[in-house]
Amino acid sequence: MRPPVILVENLSKSYILRHKKQGSYVALRDVLSDKVKSVFSGNKNNLNTSEEFLALNDVSFEVKQGERVGVIGRNGAGKSTLLKILSRIVTPTKGQVTIEGRVASLLEVGTGFHPELTGRENIFLNGAILGMNRSEIVRKFDEIVSFAEVDRFLDTPVKRYSSGMYVRLAFAVAAHLEPEILIVDEVLAVGDAQFQKKCLGKMEDVSKNQGRTVLFVSHNMAAIQNLCDSCIYLHQGRILKSGPTNEVIPEYLQSAASNATIRLDDRKDRTGNGSIHFTSVEVKDNQNKNVEALQCGKDGKLCIYFDNKREVLNNFHIAVGIDDPNGQRVTIFSNEATGQLFSDVRQHKGVVEIHLKKIPLRQGVYSFTLYSTVNGEIADWIQNAGTFSVEAGDFYLTGKLPPEGQGSFFVDHDFQLTQ
């Protein structure tokens, strides 16, 4: 029986969140007065309040050598905090972590790189951080450069690299310098699809053929399904379920689907400066009636309601990403891509209608993510904002349905025989 290389016991991590009292203006006399009062009252925090936030709450699990473990959960579930503790970047509040072997982590774009150094210099720097001597790094150097495909820019300071180039080089270093444990966060999503596939193949190779352990965080359920033997599902800092991947993912997806019944006003796991605030989404058919399911081959509509927190919105970009039941991105609707950015939006409450023509999606349940920017800054962003269903339909108007399992969507086409 293989011994555990990662043993996590009753792990908790808490942060203190501080909040200023309502009101943006505080006079100096009020500050001085509160300081004097605090001396006599013992209350040292008259102007501010604070609360404890448990990013991780009594988490325990073990990972054996050579296992490929996925870590899944919604934003704010504690995934990144867990990986930072395992990478010794953050110290836990309670509990214990025991790790056997050298750890290489790829957590954020640029982590472990010095922006002023060249790609070549950063390879040696990262190798030294991982405990490799110079001869070991030299032996792997050509493989790293070839995998990262950055040979033309090897002697360029990495501060001039794109985020994709950063990730390519960082992953190549982490995967090739022979760590016993490889920890990879969602950062691979920055790379292009071809490179993501290449990275997944490399992680599978180092695990299956070289006996290394892989921890992989992703919102892409297809990638988790293909790579990981087992899975840990985190929710609000706790482990809701762990076990074989094909048992854990359905429970996570079912939980994500339940968000469709929650008003978006109540969602706390959102990102953005608040210029707009998504409040709800309605799905309508081609008769403009609210429905729970759209029909393949028919027209439909997504109505996205929002509150405008500014007097005027300019360069208002809104996008809706559509994911299949495995969390794989199927398509995206974007008014920037269609050249229809909104400007001079003055109404306090508004709705954006997205008209879907001859819906090409197969029967199934799809989740969607809402994203918006105003003047180039993220205004509101909610992942897994809700779900909608698509029913089977006569897409080709022939009375025939194509066989199941032959792709995710339909493409209008015809055949012609020339002689």
Side-chain angles (χ1 to χ4, degrees):
M1 188 174 182
R2 293 175 297 175
V5 293
I6 299 175
L7 181 61
V8 175
E9 300 174 280
N10 309 117
L11 190 68
S12 294
K13 178 62 180 177
S14 64
Y15 295 95
I16 301 300
L17 304 181
R18 303 193 183 279
H19 309 286
K20 289 187 176 181
K21 286 187 176 180
Q22 292 296 324
S24 58
Y25 173 75
V26 180
L28 176 59
R29 66 174 178 273
D30 296 326
V31 175
L32 296 175
S33 173
D34 270 35
K35 289 293 184 184
V36 172
K37 290 177 184 176
S38 68
V39 172
F40 296 100
S41 67
N43 180 6
K44 298 181 179 180
N45 198 17
N46 286 308
L47 290 178
N48 300 322
T49 59
S50 62
E51 62 174 312
E52 183 182 30
F53 170 70
L54 271 173
L56 292 174
N57 188 359
D58 197 28
V59 169
S60 298
F61 64 91
E62 64 177 44
V63 179
K64 292 183 170 60
Q65 180 182 347
E67 284 189 331
R68 301 187 302 276
V69 180
V71 183
I72 61 176
R74 289 169 53 188
N75 287 348
K79 305 184 299 297
S80 295
T81 300
L82 174 61
L83 296 198
K84 287 176 181 177
I85 291 175
L86 296 179
S87 303
R88 300 186 178 96
I89 295 172
V90 171
T91 56
T93 305
K94 295 179 182 177
Q96 183 175 339
V97 174
T98 305
I99 297 178
E100 298 291 338
R102 188 164 48 201
V103 177
S105 303
L106 188 60
L107 304 181
E108 296 176 2
V109 176
T111 300
F113 276 21
H114 193 297
E116 299 295 336
L117 299 182
T118 65
R120 183 189 304 274
E121 292 166 334
N122 270 295
I123 291 174
F124 283 92
L125 173 64
N126 267 250
I129 291 172
L130 288 173
M132 311 288 289
N133 60 42
R134 185 175 179 82
S135 61
E136 289 177 291
I137 301 170
V138 169
R139 180 166 53 87
K140 290 285 186 178
F141 187 85
D142 288 343
E143 284 183 58
I144 292 171
V145 175
S146 175
F147 188 93
E149 302 172 3
V150 294
D151 36 327
R152 288 180 57 197
F153 309 98
L154 200 55
D155 295 304
T156 300
V158 297
K159 67 181 181 181
R160 298 197 179 100
Y161 284 18
S162 68
S163 57
M165 291 167 63
Y166 243 125
V167 168
R168 289 206 301 271
L169 184 58
F171 181 87
V173 171
H176 286 82
L177 290 183
E178 301 183 349
E180 283 79 21
I181 301 168
L182 181 61
I183 296 177
V184 182
D185 205 341
E186 186 71 36
V187 67
L188 286 186
V190 176
D192 56 66
Q194 183 178 357
F195 187 73
Q196 288 181 40
K197 185 176 180 180
K198 190 176 180 180
C199 291
L200 292 172
K202 182 63 178 176
M203 286 191 281
E204 185 173 9
D205 175 62
V206 300
S207 175
K208 280 187 176 179
N209 301 324
Q210 300 175 35
R212 300 189 217 167
T213 305
V214 176
L215 258 70
F216 180 44
V217 166
S218 180
H219 286 105
N220 186 332
M221 293 302 106
I224 293 283
Q225 187 87 52
N226 291 334
L227 176 68
C228 301
D229 308 308
S230 59
C231 221
I232 296 170
Y233 171 22
L234 283 174
H235 178 70
Q236 295 182 352
R238 290 182 175 272
I239 294 179
L240 277 193
K241 188 175 180 65
S242 63
T245 301
N246 59 1
E247 295 178 7
V248 177
I249 286 181
E251 185 158 329
Y252 167 68
L253 293 174
Q254 185 177 3
S255 173
S258 69
N259 290 332
T261 63
I262 301 174
R263 279 184 55 82
L264 298 180
D265 262 345
D266 302 326
R267 291 288 294 271
K268 305 301 182 186
D269 55 334
R270 61 206 309 153
T271 304
N273 61 19
S275 299
I276 74 150
H277 188 85
F278 294 122
T279 57
S280 62
V281 175
E282 292 179 348
V283 180
K284 298 190 176 186
D285 62 12
N286 57 359
Q287 302 297 318
N288 205 37
K289 295 179 180 178
N290 285 21
V291 292
E292 292 184 2
L294 298 169
Q295 188 171 17
C296 176
K298 301 289 186 181
D299 293 349
K301 188 191 301 183
L302 293 178
C303 299
I304 303 164
Y305 294 83
F306 66 93
D307 286 345
N308 176 8
K309 301 297 185 179
R310 291 185 177 179
E311 290 185 6
V312 181
L313 297 176
N314 286 308
N315 297 316
F316 176 19
H317 168 222
I318 184 167
V320 182
I322 307 298
D323 297 337
D324 69 14
N326 288 322
Q328 188 75 36
R329 181 56 48 89
V330 176
T331 189
I332 187 168
F333 308 131
S334 163
N335 67 335
E336 184 177 55
T338 60
Q340 296 173 302
L341 284 178
F342 304 123
S343 288
D344 200 31
V345 179
R346 296 176 180 272
Q347 62 264 43
H348 175 59
K349 294 182 179 294
V351 57
V352 174
E353 296 185 352
I354 302 176
H355 296 263
L356 311 177
K357 301 174 183 177
K358 198 175 182 182
I359 295 163
L361 300 174
R362 281 190 173 275
Q363 181 177 1
V365 178
Y366 296 83
S367 61
F368 58 89
T369 290
L370 298 179
Y371 176 84
S372 66
T373 63
V374 175
N375 280 330
E377 295 183 2
I378 297 175
D380 200 8
W381 181 6
I382 307 177
Q383 298 202 46
N384 289 322
T387 62
F388 64 89
S389 297
V390 174
E391 296 176 350
D394 186 7
F395 182 83
Y396 297 112
L397 302 177
T398 60
K400 299 180 182 296
L401 296 178
E404 290 295 324
Q406 300 297 313
S408 302
F409 55 88
F410 300 96
V411 176
D412 220 349
H413 63 284
D414 58 31
F415 288 83
Q416 185 175 1
L417 174 65
T418 58
Q419 298 180 353

